[in-house]
């Protein structure tokens, strides 16, 4: 089925303000939905009785509410053994008489998948792809002066569809838009910076104006630039004539002196304020954040941001966020990006679909580079039946929505596609068409594709890789130098990289214990490194009872694993030493072989080894030398340069007590770390990342729960169930412990600790007041923390 009656949603990021009756209304449509996971007859009808349905708010992912299905029950590891199904959503809303003569649309940021939208019982739109936004003009279906009903049928009975956990349902925001018939096209503003220098920058604005009336109209467009402090610094006004039932693109140019540049450490954002007048009356007003920055890719020297060489230190991430599943409130995006930046990341590849636009908003604000990816597969996998009719619409939904985000520096149009090995020329032609359409929609950014390992190099012999300027190499480090020599104009980056082992030249699985990062650090022509995967994610399980991909450097709770210290050591200048204990018997989900690290613990509780047995102690460091102490007895000073992987190693008999490492630069202590043996758990300790929440019905607080001994040390070997209850101005949302093999439901308020820790996520309500979180664990006094919803 071809797209019909749809604005290609999220065509270019534009925040539109709620103003007077003549201006645009743009408001959340997330609350007061009804939901059922059944297939009732007549569910789209306005008079259908939905009183027995469950009340939900968006974002919503019903797969997280269902029990796991084992392989014997038909469960699939690709989906993390979670279920899909057929779901229905309904919402009643008032249509004031004042909306008569205006245009009304619903904007869906993401529905997974095969969404059919009904208004007052009439089907108005079908959207198959689960990862792109779409908006539907519902003006003609509305009945002003009474309650109207929107119903959405979401069909995920063919689960699993993606190769990873996708979630199910209306898992991103929905917005209600009401405009004058003469208006700025839905996200129809484009802001580019053709010339950027420290002393001056040019800004080009193109605004698509639409006229939904039957007569030509004359309009006046005013565009104002506000600096990062909010001061209006430049203004341009243009007159335009819009044809009946037509549109016009108006271009305007600005020149700024001494611009505040968007950069990784100083992510300065300007705002374009667009005001449209007809006959002297304001009929539309929008705001578009943007950044002024210069980006450049060089096949020999890599990536440049504002004239400065920048090596992308990146991670691939899927969109799910631990126990939240795919339904991710805005605050969860912010938390993940801030934690990644603090570790040392400066780039993220969105694998393998466009992200939520709020994710990009936070990357803009925090200073994180993004590779925005439209598809995984093309004519294979679940998108195959939709590709021919929908690829242009879905590609436009990404490019035009995201083009104003300064964080987005590269478009990627496919990942490990079947077409890379096609020798007929059809796959190469398909890639060329994708590139051409990207460049037509946005000529300011380059286009990439990523390729799976192919030791026969078919994708070079058939011309596939030459159809784009930028090629992402997945796990192909042994071929970088030879390919750079053979294809000197190719721009190369490591789109997926093993986090610990390096592959061999003759075969991938040689398990070479040299971290691939060094291949990137030593080659200017490779512009970036993206580890697979930065964060543990649901799906792509290595086998039951594992539900997830467990080899990220963050667990599902966004707790750093011991391996994260390696990247801190090689990516950051701050001196670091971090102790980890290697033990193959640790109760950790193993994952798939080449993507694993040796099993590591960041504690010193190994009573089974206290006889004494030898244990291996690894110290990640960027210091020149490290000294290790066990119970204050020195095991000597060792030079970091004598060991691979910025990891100084010792074997020592395990003895309970304390182990301490000191790092030295120039003979002077620069950093230290220690682990101490924890005793019996005597308390449950709670702490949170934020105690003040906004009363918006969406804000989150992450409450950490830790089993601690009398000294306040986390006890890693006495796990027990923890139950959480929430009282006051909010609600319990979900609970996790970071164990990807745990079989407890994520949305239940009880779960065992794992290595002494668990995490609860609570969400603010829409009214102010106190919010109490109380946690109980067997044999321990209850613990409580007070949050304030303002």
């Amino acid at each position: 089925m071809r797209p019909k009656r749809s604005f290609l949603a999220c065509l270019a990021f534009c925040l539109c303000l709620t103003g007077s009756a003549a201006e645009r209304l743009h408001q959340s449509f997330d609350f007061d939905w009804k939901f059922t996971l059944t297939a009732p007859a007549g569910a789209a009808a306005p008079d259908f009785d939905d009183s027995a349905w469950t009340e939900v708010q968006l974002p919503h992912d019903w797969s997280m509410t269902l029990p796991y299905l084992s392989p014997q029950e038909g469960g699939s590891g690709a989906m993390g053994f979670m279920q899909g199904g057929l779901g229905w959503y309904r919402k009643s809303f008032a249509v004031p008489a004042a909306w008569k003569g205006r245009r009304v649309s619903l904007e869906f940021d993401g529905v997974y998948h095969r969404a059919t939208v009904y208004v007052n019982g009439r089907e108005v739109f079908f959207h198959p792809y689960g990862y792109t936004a779409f908006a539907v003009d519902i003006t003609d279906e509305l009945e002003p002066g009474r309650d109207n009903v929107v119903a959405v049928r979401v069909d995920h009975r063919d689960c699993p569809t993606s190769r990873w956990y996708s979630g199910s349902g209306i898992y991103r925001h929905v917005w209600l838009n009401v405009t004058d018939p003469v208006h700025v096209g839905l996200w129809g503003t484009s802001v580019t910076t053709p010339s950027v220098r420290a002393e001056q920058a040019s800004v080009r604005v193109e605004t698509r104006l639409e006229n939904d009336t039957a007569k030509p109209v004359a309009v006046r467009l005013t565009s104002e630039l506000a600096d990062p402090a909010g001061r209006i610094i430049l203004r341009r006004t243009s007159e335009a004539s819009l044809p009946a039932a037509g549109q016009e693109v108006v271009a305007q140019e600005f020149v700024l002196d001494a611009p505040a540049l968007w950069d990784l450490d100083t992510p300065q954002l300007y705002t374009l304020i667009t005001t449209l007048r007809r006959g002297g009356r304001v009929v539309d007003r929008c705001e578009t954040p943007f950044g002024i920055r210069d980006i450049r890719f060089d096949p020999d020297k890599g990536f440049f941001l504002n004239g400065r060489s920048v090596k992308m230190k990146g991670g691939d991430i899927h969109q799910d966020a631990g126990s939240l599943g795919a339904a991710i409130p805005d605050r969860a995006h912010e938390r993940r990006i801030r934690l990644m930046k603090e570790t040392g990341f400066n780039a993220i590849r969105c694998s393998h679909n466009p992200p939520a636009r709020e994710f990009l908003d936070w990357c803009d604000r925090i200073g994180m580079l993004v590779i925005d990816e439209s598809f995984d597969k093309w004519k294979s996998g679940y998108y195959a039946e939709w590709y021919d009719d929908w690829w242009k619409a879905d590609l436009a939904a990404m490019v035009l929505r995201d083009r104003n985000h300064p964080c987005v520096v590269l478009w990627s149009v496919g990942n490990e596609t079947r077409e890379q090995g096609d020798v007929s020329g059809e796959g190469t032609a398909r890639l060329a068409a994708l590139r051409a359409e990207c460049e037509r929609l946005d000529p300011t950014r380059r286009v990439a594709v990523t390729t799976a390992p192919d030791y026969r190099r078919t994708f070079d012999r058939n011309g596939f890789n030459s159809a784009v300027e930028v090629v992402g190499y997945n796990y192909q480090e042994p071929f970088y130098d030879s390919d750079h020599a053979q294809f000197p104009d190719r721009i190369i980056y490591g789109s997926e990289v093993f986090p610990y082992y390096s592959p061999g030249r003759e075969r991938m699985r040689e398990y070479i214990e040299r971290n691939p990062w060094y291949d990137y650090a030593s080659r200017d022509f490779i512009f970036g490194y993206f580890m697979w995967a930065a964060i543990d994610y649901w799906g792509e399980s290595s086998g039951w009872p594992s539900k997830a991909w467990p080899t990220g450097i963050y667990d599902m709770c966004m707790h750093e694993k011991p391996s994260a210290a390696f990247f801190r050591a090689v990516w950051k200048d701050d001196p670091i030493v971090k102790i980890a204990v290697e033990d193959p018997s640790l109760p950790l989900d193993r994952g798939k072989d080449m993507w694993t690290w040796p099993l590591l613990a960041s504690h010193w509780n190994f009573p089974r080894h206290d006889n004494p047995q030898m244990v291996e102690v690894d110290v990640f460091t960027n210091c020149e030398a490290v000294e290790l102490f066990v119970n204050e007895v020195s095991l000597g000073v060792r030079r970091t340069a004598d060991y691979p992987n910025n990891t100084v190693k010792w074997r020592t008999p395990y003895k309970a007590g304390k182990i301490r490492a000191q790092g030295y630069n120039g003979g002077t202590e620069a950093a230290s770390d220690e682990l101490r043996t924890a005793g019996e758990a005597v308390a449950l300790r709670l702490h949170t990342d934020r105690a003040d929440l906004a009363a918006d019905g969406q804000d989150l607080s992450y409450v950490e729960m830790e089993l601690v001994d009398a000294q306040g040390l986390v006890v890693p070997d006495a796990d027990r169930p923890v139950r959480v209850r929430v009282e006051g101005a909010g609600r319990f949302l979900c609970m996790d412990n970071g164990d990807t093999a745990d079989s407890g439901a994520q949305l239940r308020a009880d779960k065992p600790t794992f290595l002494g820790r668990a995490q609860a996520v609570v969400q603010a309500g829409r009214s102010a007041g106190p919010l109490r979180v109380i946690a109980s664990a067997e044999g321990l006094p209850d613990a409580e923390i007070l949050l304030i919803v303002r």
Side-chain angles (χ1 to χ4, degrees), residues 134-202:
F134 60 97
V136 188
D137 186 338
I138 63 173
T139 307
D140 296 340
E141 322 303 332
L142 297 179
E143 300 176 19
R146 63 177 291 269
D147 281 351
N148 289 244
V149 175
V150 58
V152 184
R153 180 182 187 268
V154 184
D155 188 353
H156 196 199
R157 289 174 295 181
D158 52 348
C159 173
T161 43
S162 296
R163 296 183 298 114
W164 55 87
Y165 178 79
S166 61
S168 304
I170 308 178
Y171 69 96
R172 291 181 182 167
H173 295 302
V174 177
W175 306 91
L176 174 69
N177 296 320
V178 183
T179 67
D180 189 89
V182 178
H183 53 267
V184 176
L186 190 62
W187 309 290
T189 303
S190 167
V191 186
T192 58
T193 52
S195 174
V196 177
R197 305 191 311 275
E199 60 274 13
Q200 193 175 80
S202 63

Side-chain angles (χ1 to χ4, degrees), residues 625-687:
V626 179
E627 185 173 11
L628 189 70
F629 299 83
V630 177
N631 294 327
E632 299 305 331
V633 176
S634 174
L635 301 187
V637 177
R638 298 186 177 182
R639 293 193 324 135
T640 305
D642 294 337
Y643 295 83
N645 297 324
N646 282 76
T647 307
V648 184
K649 294 178 177 283
W650 279 266
R651 288 194 178 274
T652 181
Y654 173 78
K655 296 178 182 178
K658 182 172 71 173
I659 185 169
R660 179 167 57 92
Q662 289 183 184
Y664 301 98
N665 286 330
T668 301
E669 183 178 346
S672 64
D673 185 38
E674 70 175 36
L675 302 175
R676 289 187 287 164
T677 305
E680 181 181 352
V682 299
L684 187 60
R685 181 172 62 200
L686 306 187
H687 59 92

